PDB file of all heavy atoms in Angstrom:
ATOM      1  N   ARG A  58     128.778  26.631 127.012  1.00 97.00           N
ATOM      2  CA  ARG A  58     129.197  26.952 128.386  1.00 97.00           C
ATOM      3  C   ARG A  58     130.660  26.597 128.627  1.00 97.00           C
ATOM      4  O   ARG A  58     131.371  27.309 129.336  1.00 97.00           O
ATOM      5  CB  ARG A  58     128.301  26.210 129.394  1.00 97.00           C
ATOM      6  CG  ARG A  58     126.875  26.728 129.389  1.00 97.00           C
ATOM      7  CD  ARG A  58     126.053  26.146 130.540  1.00 97.00           C
ATOM      8  NE  ARG A  58     124.642  26.480 130.348  1.00 97.00           N
ATOM      9  CZ  ARG A  58     123.736  25.629 129.855  1.00 97.00           C
ATOM     10  NH1 ARG A  58     124.054  24.386 129.561  1.00 97.00           N
ATOM     11  NH2 ARG A  58     122.494  26.023 129.684  1.00 97.00           N
ATOM     12  N   ALA A  59     131.116  25.508 128.021  1.00 97.00           N
ATOM     13  CA  ALA A  59     132.485  25.035 128.272  1.00 97.00           C
ATOM     14  C   ALA A  59     133.531  25.907 127.596  1.00 97.00           C
ATOM     15  O   ALA A  59     134.700  25.897 127.996  1.00 97.00           O
ATOM     16  CB  ALA A  59     132.623  23.586 127.789  1.00 97.00           C
ATOM     17  N   THR A  60     133.154  26.655 126.566  1.00 97.00           N
ATOM     18  CA  THR A  60     134.157  27.380 125.781  1.00 97.00           C
ATOM     19  C   THR A  60     134.071  28.894 125.915  1.00 97.00           C
ATOM     20  O   THR A  60     134.958  29.603 125.435  1.00 97.00           O
ATOM     21  CB  THR A  60     134.017  27.020 124.275  1.00 97.00           C
ATOM     22  OG1 THR A  60     132.686  27.313 123.840  1.00 97.00           O
ATOM     23  CG2 THR A  60     134.315  25.543 124.042  1.00 97.00           C
ATOM     24  N   GLU A  61     133.012  29.393 126.573  1.00 96.00           N
ATOM     25  CA  GLU A  61     132.778  30.849 126.567  1.00 96.00           C
ATOM     26  C   GLU A  61     133.969  31.636 127.088  1.00 96.00           C
ATOM     27  O   GLU A  61     134.321  32.676 126.544  1.00 96.00           O
ATOM     28  CB  GLU A  61     131.537  31.194 127.399  1.00 96.00           C
ATOM     29  CG  GLU A  61     131.210  32.681 127.317  1.00 96.00           C
ATOM     30  CD  GLU A  61     130.079  33.092 128.220  1.00 96.00           C
ATOM     31  OE1 GLU A  61     129.841  32.420 129.248  1.00 96.00           O
ATOM     32  OE2 GLU A  61     129.423  34.097 127.907  1.00 96.00           O
ATOM     33  N   ASN A  62     134.575  31.153 128.165  1.00 94.00           N
ATOM     34  CA  ASN A  62     135.647  31.927 128.796  1.00 94.00           C
ATOM     35  C   ASN A  62     137.034  31.357 128.517  1.00 94.00           C
ATOM     36  O   ASN A  62     137.971  31.620 129.261  1.00 94.00           O
ATOM     37  CB  ASN A  62     135.393  32.021 130.301  1.00 94.00           C
ATOM     38  CG  ASN A  62     134.110  32.779 130.591  1.00 94.00           C
ATOM     39  OD1 ASN A  62     133.879  33.862 130.044  1.00 94.00           O
ATOM     40  ND2 ASN A  62     133.252  32.196 131.417  1.00 94.00           N
ATOM     41  N   ASP A  63     137.150  30.590 127.447  1.00 95.00           N
ATOM     42  CA  ASP A  63     138.431  29.973 127.089  1.00 95.00           C
ATOM     43  C   ASP A  63     138.889  30.564 125.749  1.00 95.00           C
ATOM     44  O   ASP A  63     138.387  30.198 124.689  1.00 95.00           O
ATOM     45  CB  ASP A  63     138.234  28.450 126.983  1.00 95.00           C
ATOM     46  CG  ASP A  63     139.538  27.720 126.678  1.00 95.00           C
ATOM     47  OD1 ASP A  63     140.525  28.378 126.277  1.00 95.00           O
ATOM     48  OD2 ASP A  63     139.561  26.487 126.822  1.00 95.00           O
ATOM     49  N   ALA A  64     139.831  31.499 125.822  1.00 95.00           N
ATOM     50  CA  ALA A  64     140.259  32.221 124.618  1.00 95.00           C
ATOM     51  C   ALA A  64     140.813  31.275 123.556  1.00 95.00           C
ATOM     52  O   ALA A  64     140.705  31.541 122.359  1.00 95.00           O
ATOM     53  CB  ALA A  64     141.303  33.277 124.980  1.00 95.00           C
ATOM     54  N   SER A  65     141.381  30.144 123.995  1.00 95.00           N
ATOM     55  CA  SER A  65     141.948  29.200 123.023  1.00 95.00           C
ATOM     56  C   SER A  65     140.852  28.463 122.251  1.00 95.00           C
ATOM     57  O   SER A  65     141.126  27.802 121.253  1.00 95.00           O
ATOM     58  CB  SER A  65     142.853  28.183 123.737  1.00 95.00           C
ATOM     59  OG  SER A  65     142.078  27.242 124.453  1.00 95.00           O
ATOM     60  N   LYS A  66     139.605  28.570 122.731  1.00 96.00           N
ATOM     61  CA  LYS A  66     138.482  27.889 122.063  1.00 96.00           C
ATOM     62  C   LYS A  66     137.454  28.891 121.523  1.00 96.00           C
ATOM     63  O   LYS A  66     136.276  28.551 121.349  1.00 96.00           O
ATOM     64  CB  LYS A  66     137.807  26.921 123.040  1.00 96.00           C
ATOM     65  CG  LYS A  66     138.728  25.805 123.508  1.00 96.00           C
ATOM     66  CD  LYS A  66     137.950  24.541 123.833  1.00 96.00           C
ATOM     67  CE  LYS A  66     138.859  23.347 124.002  1.00 96.00           C
ATOM     68  NZ  LYS A  66     139.665  23.426 125.248  1.00 96.00           N
ATOM     69  N   SER A  67     137.908  30.115 121.237  1.00 96.00           N
ATOM     70  CA  SER A  67     136.949  31.134 120.806  1.00 96.00           C
ATOM     71  C   SER A  67     136.270  30.755 119.487  1.00 96.00           C
ATOM     72  O   SER A  67     135.098  31.075 119.270  1.00 96.00           O
ATOM     73  CB  SER A  67     137.616  32.504 120.706  1.00 96.00           C
ATOM     74  OG  SER A  67     138.613  32.478 119.717  1.00 96.00           O
ATOM     75  N   GLY A  68     136.977  30.041 118.616  1.00 96.00           N
ATOM     76  CA  GLY A  68     136.361  29.622 117.356  1.00 96.00           C
ATOM     77  C   GLY A  68     135.216  28.654 117.589  1.00 96.00           C
ATOM     78  O   GLY A  68     134.155  28.758 116.958  1.00 96.00           O
ATOM     79  N   VAL A  69     135.422  27.714 118.499  1.00 98.00           N
ATOM     80  CA  VAL A  69     134.350  26.764 118.831  1.00 98.00           C
ATOM     81  C   VAL A  69     133.185  27.508 119.459  1.00 98.00           C
ATOM     82  O   VAL A  69     132.024  27.324 119.071  1.00 98.00           O
ATOM     83  CB  VAL A  69     134.851  25.670 119.811  1.00 98.00           C
ATOM     84  CG1 VAL A  69     133.715  24.712 120.158  1.00 98.00           C
ATOM     85  CG2 VAL A  69     136.020  24.912 119.221  1.00 98.00           C
ATOM     86  N   PHE A  70     133.495  28.375 120.426  1.00 98.00           N
ATOM     87  CA  PHE A  70     132.427  29.128 121.094  1.00 98.00           C
ATOM     88  C   PHE A  70     131.619  29.937 120.089  1.00 98.00           C
ATOM     89  O   PHE A  70     130.384  29.904 120.097  1.00 98.00           O
ATOM     90  CB  PHE A  70     132.988  30.069 122.171  1.00 98.00           C
ATOM     91  CG  PHE A  70     131.946  31.014 122.690  1.00 98.00           C
ATOM     92  CD1 PHE A  70     131.003  30.583 123.606  1.00 98.00           C
ATOM     93  CD2 PHE A  70     131.873  32.313 122.205  1.00 98.00           C
ATOM     94  CE1 PHE A  70     129.999  31.440 124.044  1.00 98.00           C
ATOM     95  CE2 PHE A  70     130.870  33.177 122.641  1.00 98.00           C
ATOM     96  CZ  PHE A  70     129.933  32.741 123.568  1.00 98.00           C
ATOM     97  N   ASN A  71     132.311  30.698 119.239  1.00 98.00           N
ATOM     98  CA  ASN A  71     131.593  31.580 118.308  1.00 98.00           C
ATOM     99  C   ASN A  71     130.656  30.791 117.401  1.00 98.00           C
ATOM    100  O   ASN A  71     129.504  31.186 117.191  1.00 98.00           O
ATOM    101  CB  ASN A  71     132.590  32.374 117.463  1.00 98.00           C
ATOM    102  CG  ASN A  71     133.252  33.495 118.255  1.00 98.00           C
ATOM    103  OD1 ASN A  71     132.670  34.013 119.199  1.00 98.00           O
ATOM    104  ND2 ASN A  71     134.459  33.849 117.876  1.00 98.00           N
ATOM    105  N   ASN A  72     131.128  29.681 116.871  1.00 98.00           N
ATOM    106  CA  ASN A  72     130.280  28.911 115.957  1.00 98.00           C
ATOM    107  C   ASN A  72     129.159  28.188 116.700  1.00 98.00           C
ATOM    108  O   ASN A  72     128.019  28.155 116.221  1.00 98.00           O
ATOM    109  CB  ASN A  72     131.140  27.951 115.130  1.00 98.00           C
ATOM    110  CG  ASN A  72     131.922  28.704 114.070  1.00 98.00           C
ATOM    111  OD1 ASN A  72     131.351  29.263 113.146  1.00 98.00           O
ATOM    112  ND2 ASN A  72     133.241  28.759 114.221  1.00 98.00           N
ATOM    113  N   ALA A  73     129.451  27.627 117.864  1.00 98.00           N
ATOM    114  CA  ALA A  73     128.410  26.935 118.638  1.00 98.00           C
ATOM    115  C   ALA A  73     127.313  27.916 119.071  1.00 98.00           C
ATOM    116  O   ALA A  73     126.115  27.627 118.947  1.00 98.00           O
ATOM    117  CB  ALA A  73     129.028  26.257 119.865  1.00 98.00           C
ATOM    118  N   ALA A  74     127.724  29.071 119.576  1.00 98.00           N
ATOM    119  CA  ALA A  74     126.734  30.049 120.043  1.00 98.00           C
ATOM    120  C   ALA A  74     125.917  30.590 118.866  1.00 98.00           C
ATOM    121  O   ALA A  74     124.697  30.777 118.980  1.00 98.00           O
ATOM    122  CB  ALA A  74     127.430  31.183 120.794  1.00 98.00           C
ATOM    123  N   GLN A  75     126.577  30.795 117.739  1.00 98.00           N
ATOM    124  CA  GLN A  75     125.832  31.278 116.563  1.00 98.00           C
ATOM    125  C   GLN A  75     124.860  30.213 116.055  1.00 98.00           C
ATOM    126  O   GLN A  75     123.762  30.551 115.585  1.00 98.00           O
ATOM    127  CB  GLN A  75     126.793  31.717 115.451  1.00 98.00           C
ATOM    128  CG  GLN A  75     127.480  33.048 115.721  1.00 98.00           C
ATOM    129  CD  GLN A  75     126.498  34.213 115.713  1.00 98.00           C
ATOM    130  OE1 GLN A  75     125.723  34.412 116.655  1.00 98.00           O
ATOM    131  NE2 GLN A  75     126.499  34.986 114.635  1.00 98.00           N
ATOM    132  N   VAL A  76     125.206  28.950 116.144  1.00 98.00           N
ATOM    133  CA  VAL A  76     124.250  27.892 115.766  1.00 98.00           C
ATOM    134  C   VAL A  76     123.027  27.966 116.686  1.00 98.00           C
ATOM    135  O   VAL A  76     121.879  27.978 116.223  1.00 98.00           O
ATOM    136  CB  VAL A  76     124.912  26.496 115.840  1.00 98.00           C
ATOM    137  CG1 VAL A  76     123.858  25.394 115.710  1.00 98.00           C
ATOM    138  CG2 VAL A  76     125.960  26.346 114.737  1.00 98.00           C
ATOM    139  N   TRP A  77     123.263  28.054 117.980  1.00 98.00           N
ATOM    140  CA  TRP A  77     122.144  28.109 118.938  1.00 98.00           C
ATOM    141  C   TRP A  77     121.310  29.369 118.716  1.00 98.00           C
ATOM    142  O   TRP A  77     120.076  29.304 118.630  1.00 98.00           O
ATOM    143  CB  TRP A  77     122.689  28.079 120.376  1.00 98.00           C
ATOM    144  CG  TRP A  77     121.623  27.787 121.396  1.00 98.00           C
ATOM    145  CD1 TRP A  77     121.337  26.572 121.956  1.00 98.00           C
ATOM    146  CD2 TRP A  77     120.677  28.724 121.950  1.00 98.00           C
ATOM    147  NE1 TRP A  77     120.272  26.703 122.814  1.00 98.00           N
ATOM    148  CE2 TRP A  77     119.852  27.999 122.829  1.00 98.00           C
ATOM    149  CE3 TRP A  77     120.442  30.089 121.775  1.00 98.00           C
ATOM    150  CZ2 TRP A  77     118.803  28.594 123.550  1.00 98.00           C
ATOM    151  CZ3 TRP A  77     119.395  30.689 122.477  1.00 98.00           C
ATOM    152  CH2 TRP A  77     118.590  29.949 123.358  1.00 98.00           C
ATOM    153  N   ASN A  78     121.986  30.513 118.627  1.00 98.00           N
ATOM    154  CA  ASN A  78     121.270  31.790 118.508  1.00 98.00           C
ATOM    155  C   ASN A  78     120.403  31.827 117.248  1.00 98.00           C
ATOM    156  O   ASN A  78     119.275  32.318 117.278  1.00 98.00           O
ATOM    157  CB  ASN A  78     122.262  32.955 118.466  1.00 98.00           C
ATOM    158  CG  ASN A  78     122.985  33.173 119.786  1.00 98.00           C
ATOM    159  OD1 ASN A  78     122.613  32.605 120.811  1.00 98.00           O
ATOM    160  ND2 ASN A  78     124.039  33.988 119.750  1.00 98.00           N
ATOM    161  N   HIS A  79     120.926  31.325 116.130  1.00 98.00           N
ATOM    162  CA  HIS A  79     120.152  31.387 114.881  1.00 98.00           C
ATOM    163  C   HIS A  79     118.939  30.478 114.923  1.00 98.00           C
ATOM    164  O   HIS A  79     117.859  30.859 114.475  1.00 98.00           O
ATOM    165  CB  HIS A  79     121.047  31.093 113.673  1.00 98.00           C
ATOM    166  CG  HIS A  79     121.868  32.278 113.268  1.00 98.00           C
ATOM    167  ND1 HIS A  79     123.084  32.556 113.823  1.00 98.00           N
ATOM    168  CD2 HIS A  79     121.606  33.287 112.401  1.00 98.00           C
ATOM    169  CE1 HIS A  79     123.555  33.695 113.303  1.00 98.00           C
ATOM    170  NE2 HIS A  79     122.667  34.155 112.442  1.00 98.00           N
ATOM    171  N   THR A  80     119.092  29.265 115.458  1.00 98.00           N
ATOM    172  CA  THR A  80     117.922  28.379 115.567  1.00 98.00           C
ATOM    173  C   THR A  80     116.855  29.046 116.430  1.00 98.00           C
ATOM    174  O   THR A  80     115.659  29.023 116.101  1.00 98.00           O
ATOM    175  CB  THR A  80     118.346  27.027 116.181  1.00 98.00           C
ATOM    176  OG1 THR A  80     119.344  26.446 115.334  1.00 98.00           O
ATOM    177  CG2 THR A  80     117.161  26.080 116.292  1.00 98.00           C
ATOM    178  N   PHE A  81     117.289  29.697 117.509  1.00 98.00           N
ATOM    179  CA  PHE A  81     116.359  30.399 118.397  1.00 98.00           C
ATOM    180  C   PHE A  81     115.719  31.592 117.684  1.00 98.00           C
ATOM    181  O   PHE A  81     114.535  31.878 117.873  1.00 98.00           O
ATOM    182  CB  PHE A  81     117.122  30.841 119.653  1.00 98.00           C
ATOM    183  CG  PHE A  81     116.241  31.173 120.819  1.00 98.00           C
ATOM    184  CD1 PHE A  81     115.698  30.169 121.610  1.00 98.00           C
ATOM    185  CD2 PHE A  81     115.962  32.500 121.144  1.00 98.00           C
ATOM    186  CE1 PHE A  81     114.888  30.476 122.697  1.00 98.00           C
ATOM    187  CE2 PHE A  81     115.149  32.814 122.222  1.00 98.00           C
ATOM    188  CZ  PHE A  81     114.608  31.799 122.997  1.00 98.00           C
ATOM    189  N   PHE A  82     116.496  32.263 116.857  1.00 98.00           N
ATOM    190  CA  PHE A  82     115.981  33.423 116.117  1.00 98.00           C
ATOM    191  C   PHE A  82     114.903  33.018 115.117  1.00 98.00           C
ATOM    192  O   PHE A  82     113.870  33.683 115.014  1.00 98.00           O
ATOM    193  CB  PHE A  82     117.149  34.122 115.403  1.00 98.00           C
ATOM    194  CG  PHE A  82     116.771  35.296 114.544  1.00 98.00           C
ATOM    195  CD1 PHE A  82     115.926  36.288 115.006  1.00 98.00           C
ATOM    196  CD2 PHE A  82     117.287  35.416 113.255  1.00 98.00           C
ATOM    197  CE1 PHE A  82     115.594  37.388 114.200  1.00 98.00           C
ATOM    198  CE2 PHE A  82     116.964  36.503 112.450  1.00 98.00           C
ATOM    199  CZ  PHE A  82     116.105  37.488 112.926  1.00 98.00           C
ATOM    200  N   TRP A  83     115.112  31.934 114.364  1.00 98.00           N
ATOM    201  CA  TRP A  83     114.072  31.530 113.385  1.00 98.00           C
ATOM    202  C   TRP A  83     112.761  31.277 114.108  1.00 98.00           C
ATOM    203  O   TRP A  83     111.695  31.625 113.611  1.00 98.00           O
ATOM    204  CB  TRP A  83     114.470  30.285 112.592  1.00 98.00           C
ATOM    205  CG  TRP A  83     115.833  30.308 111.973  1.00 98.00           C
ATOM    206  CD1 TRP A  83     116.758  29.305 111.969  1.00 98.00           C
ATOM    207  CD2 TRP A  83     116.441  31.387 111.225  1.00 98.00           C
ATOM    208  NE1 TRP A  83     117.893  29.699 111.294  1.00 98.00           N
ATOM    209  CE2 TRP A  83     117.726  30.971 110.837  1.00 98.00           C
ATOM    210  CE3 TRP A  83     116.025  32.670 110.865  1.00 98.00           C
ATOM    211  CZ2 TRP A  83     118.599  31.778 110.099  1.00 98.00           C
ATOM    212  CZ3 TRP A  83     116.892  33.490 110.138  1.00 98.00           C
ATOM    213  CH2 TRP A  83     118.148  33.035 109.767  1.00 98.00           C
ATOM    214  N   ASN A  84     112.851  30.677 115.281  1.00 98.00           N
ATOM    215  CA  ASN A  84     111.619  30.381 116.036  1.00 98.00           C
ATOM    216  C   ASN A  84     111.046  31.620 116.719  1.00 98.00           C
ATOM    217  O   ASN A  84     109.887  31.607 117.137  1.00 98.00           O
ATOM    218  CB  ASN A  84     111.895  29.278 117.060  1.00 98.00           C
ATOM    219  CG  ASN A  84     112.010  27.927 116.393  1.00 98.00           C
ATOM    220  OD1 ASN A  84     111.041  27.396 115.867  1.00 98.00           O
ATOM    221  ND2 ASN A  84     113.214  27.378 116.365  1.00 98.00           N
ATOM    222  N   SER A  85     111.855  32.661 116.843  1.00 98.00           N
ATOM    223  CA  SER A  85     111.379  33.919 117.438  1.00 98.00           C
ATOM    224  C   SER A  85     110.550  34.738 116.462  1.00 98.00           C
ATOM    225  O   SER A  85     110.063  35.816 116.813  1.00 98.00           O
ATOM    226  CB  SER A  85     112.569  34.768 117.908  1.00 98.00           C
ATOM    227  OG  SER A  85     113.228  34.164 118.993  1.00 98.00           O
ATOM    228  N   MET A  86     110.392  34.227 115.228  1.00 98.00           N
ATOM    229  CA  MET A  86     109.579  34.916 114.219  1.00 98.00           C
ATOM    230  C   MET A  86     108.517  33.959 113.695  1.00 98.00           C
ATOM    231  O   MET A  86     108.693  32.735 113.725  1.00 98.00           O
ATOM    232  CB  MET A  86     110.449  35.393 113.052  1.00 98.00           C
ATOM    233  CG  MET A  86     111.522  36.388 113.464  1.00 98.00           C
ATOM    234  SD  MET A  86     112.495  36.987 112.068  1.00 98.00           S
ATOM    235  CE  MET A  86     113.424  35.519 111.618  1.00 98.00           C
ATOM    236  N   SER A  87     107.422  34.543 113.213  1.00 98.00           N
ATOM    237  CA  SER A  87     106.335  33.747 112.649  1.00 98.00           C
ATOM    238  C   SER A  87     105.634  34.554 111.567  1.00 98.00           C
ATOM    239  O   SER A  87     105.512  35.782 111.689  1.00 98.00           O
ATOM    240  CB  SER A  87     105.338  33.397 113.753  1.00 98.00           C
ATOM    241  OG  SER A  87     104.105  32.991 113.191  1.00 98.00           O
ATOM    242  N   PRO A  88     105.126  33.865 110.521  1.00 98.00           N
ATOM    243  CA  PRO A  88     104.316  34.572 109.517  1.00 98.00           C
ATOM    244  C   PRO A  88     103.070  35.203 110.140  1.00 98.00           C
ATOM    245  O   PRO A  88     102.514  36.138 109.577  1.00 98.00           O
ATOM    246  CB  PRO A  88     103.915  33.465 108.530  1.00 98.00           C
ATOM    247  CG  PRO A  88     104.869  32.352 108.768  1.00 98.00           C
ATOM    248  CD  PRO A  88     105.303  32.446 110.195  1.00 98.00           C
TER     249      PRO A  88
END
Side-chain angles (χ1 to χ4, degrees):
R58 292 189 190 101
T60 57
E61 185 185 26
N62 296 312
D63 183 345
S65 74
K66 297 210 167 71
S67 63
V69 179
F70 170 78
N71 285 332
N72 286 294
Q75 285 293 75
V76 169
W77 194 97
N78 291 348
H79 281 87
T80 301
F81 198 79
F82 177 48
W83 310 136
N84 285 293
S85 292
M86 299 182 291
S87 162

